[in-house]
Amino acid sequence: MNRRLGVLISGRGSNLQAIIDAVAAGRLQATIAVVIANTADAGGLARARRAGIETVVLEHTAYPSRETYDQALVAELRRCDVGLVCLAGFMRLLSGTFVEAFPNRILNIHPSLLPAFAGLHGQDQAWRHGVKIAGATVHVVTPELDAGPIVLQAAVPVEDVDTADTLAARILVEEHRIYPAAIGIVLDGGWRIDGRRFVRS
Ligand code: GRF
């Protein structure tokens, strides 16, 4: 499989940093071909530049529709010969067109044990719900939000003294561990999608 990654961000980019670090340390055999942000404010852009990675800002506000925006995203990813797209805090819904352009070749990291607490602020949802175990999920992206086949999950305990913030910080440590690991698993191949199960053979 083409081991060139396109990482899409909207914010601080700590998961991007974990991927950069894993590549630099030789724990992940991949090349980050491009980092694309939908806003010039994304803090992660500086992380990419520091690592010498090409950055592209595609402001979604400059496009008349989701469809045209997604076409522009796909064009940039193709220009950079990206084989696997990694959403890392990319706060945009993706159209079916985008998902179909990279079938089973888009991953997302979500800060909850899916299918619990999909959508925004998964950590906060879990804390408010009062669960005793929370966690993070890396999944293959399908047109339905936060619902694709699960590649890896990690669980963390929720302590009585936790706030939503301390819980989010504990989950984030696991995000940074499992995202590069899941990318490696997907790039290595030898897996299939069976129903909604991601199965390694
Ligand atoms: C992470 O919590 C991730 O799970 C979610 O968005 C957040 C992005 O954080 N999808 P960062 O930009 O990677 O620091």
Side-chain angles (χ1 to χ4, degrees):
M1 183 169 167
N2 170 350
R3 303 181 82 93
R4 290 173 63 77
L5 309 180
V7 184
L8 272 50
I9 63 169
S10 298
R12 68 190 162 178
S14 72
N15 279 288
L16 164 66
Q17 188 69 56
I19 299 166
I20 292 171
D21 293 347
V23 170
R27 279 181 282 117
L28 174 59
Q29 313 293 320
T31 302
I32 305 176
V34 65
V35 170
I36 304 178
N38 67 315
T39 161
D41 298 342
L45 287 168
R47 299 177 189 268
R49 291 188 190 116
R50 218 179 299 136
I53 299 164
E54 178 178 355
T55 59
V56 174
V57 176
L58 281 181
E59 303 260 11
H60 61 275
T61 48
Y63 292 81
S65 66
R66 186 179 306 284
E67 199 67 25
T68 51
Y69 181 69
D70 283 6
Q71 283 165 7
L73 276 179
V74 169
E76 281 301 312
L77 292 163
R78 294 234 190 278
R79 178 183 65 78
C80 297
D81 188 26
V82 163
L84 183 66
V85 180
C86 302
L87 309 182
F90 188 63
M91 305 304 286
R92 299 282 306 159
L93 293 173
L94 296 173
S95 64
T97 311
F98 186 97
V99 175
E100 281 154 26
F102 293 94
N104 292 334
R105 294 290 183 275
I106 310 171
L107 297 180
N108 183 41
I109 178 94
H110 183 78
S112 78
L113 291 174
L114 290 172
F117 311 123
L120 288 175
H121 311 303
Q123 317 94 322
D124 195 56
Q125 291 185 53
W127 181 78
R128 281 188 285 109
H129 192 92
V131 296
K132 301 304 185 192
I133 306 279
T137 302
V138 180
H139 65 92
V140 176
V141 171
T142 57
E144 199 187 337
L145 180 69
D146 296 334
I150 292 168
V151 181
L152 278 182
Q153 290 185 305
V156 301
V158 184
E159 310 289 355
D160 289 348
V161 295
D162 271 328
T163 63
D165 285 346
T166 59
L167 177 59
R170 189 174 305 124
I171 293 170
L172 193 61
V173 172
E174 294 304 306
E175 292 185 36
H176 295 166
R177 188 175 64 77
I178 66 171
Y179 207 1
I183 293 167
I185 288 169
V186 171
L187 290 178
D188 285 348
W191 51 267
R192 66 184 195 283
I193 307 278
D194 180 7
R196 36 160 308 107
R197 299 183 322 127
F198 179 98
V199 190
R200 297 166 77 180
S201 30

